[in-house]
Amino acid sequence: KAGVTQTPRYLIKTRGQQVTLSCSPISGHRSVSWYQQTPGQGLQFLFEYFSETQRNKGNFPGRFSGRQFSNSRSEMNVSTLELGDSALYLCASGFDGDRARDTQYFGPGTRLTVL
Amino acid sequence: GDSVTQMEGPVTLSEEAFLTINCTYTATGYPSLFWYVQYPGEGLQLLLKATKADDKGSNKGFEATYRKETTSFHLEKGSVQVSDSAVYFCALSYTGNQFYFGTGTSLTVIP
């Protein structure tokens, strides 16, 4: 079956702009999580959505937001971009997000560059 | 708080060498532990996991044992191949909670 897809794969934006990233989970998966990956900070959890509700949130400013649609597809939005937002943004999907029994499948990521 | 510490990389090994990547954790509860692998240009893939103390996770020749007494989950492989070259991440998670990832260890295997 198809894996997790993320679009676009690459983005270049300038400071102050906003950006929307999309994640389509594996069919049947209802949990989608987002992570930011940078060389300095590593992988950091942004938020998790389950059945259109934000279930968990990491320690990021309010400029980072997300949503999930009824078909489980998820989008994340970053407003007023800063240079430090340049990163690889990864999403992961699972059936219900229970880490102990549910395998999380990651997408290839969206590489965001802020100039 | 909860955190994961991995050995610094990069690690360079010759083919068929023995691999150990150290991982220790700090946890307030009883997490599940994971190793993920990231190949160039790809997302993370689950390599193995262990959900409770003394469990051993294994996959593709890799294995790791959940050691509660030493708060460790070291990754080992007896004979690495060139195709194992990737970045390896140790992580912990609780039921219904997010992952806490280590910083990653880059492995290069040379023929």
Side-chain angles (χ1 to χ4, degrees), chain A residues 9 35 37 41-43 45 48 55-58 88 90 97-109, chain B residues 32 34 36 38 41-46 49-51 87 89 92-104:
Chain A
R9 292 292 309 276
Y35 291 84
Q37 185 178 20
Q41 300 296 319
L43 279 151
F45 173 76
E48 179 196 7
R55 187 159 68 173
N56 210 344
K57 189 176 188 302
L88 180 67
L90 294 166
D98 183 330
R99 307 292 186 256
R101 61 170 184 268
D102 183 21
T103 296
Q104 298 291 300
Y105 294 88
F106 282 78
Chain B
S32 296
F34 304 80
Y36 274 85
Q38 186 176 34
E42 299 183 14
L44 277 68
Q45 299 175 26
L46 177 65
K49 69 179 183 183
T51 58
V87 180
F89 293 90
L92 69 82
S93 185
Y94 298 92
T95 300
N97 209 325
Q98 72 263 30
F99 285 110
Y100 296 89
F101 283 96
T103 53

Side-chain angles (χ1 to χ4, degrees), chain B residues 75-92:
Chain B
L75 182 67
E76 297 182 334
K77 186 176 186 183
S79 176
V80 293
Q81 305 300 313
V82 172
S83 58
D84 294 327
S85 298
V87 180
Y88 292 81
F89 293 90
C90 184
L92 69 82

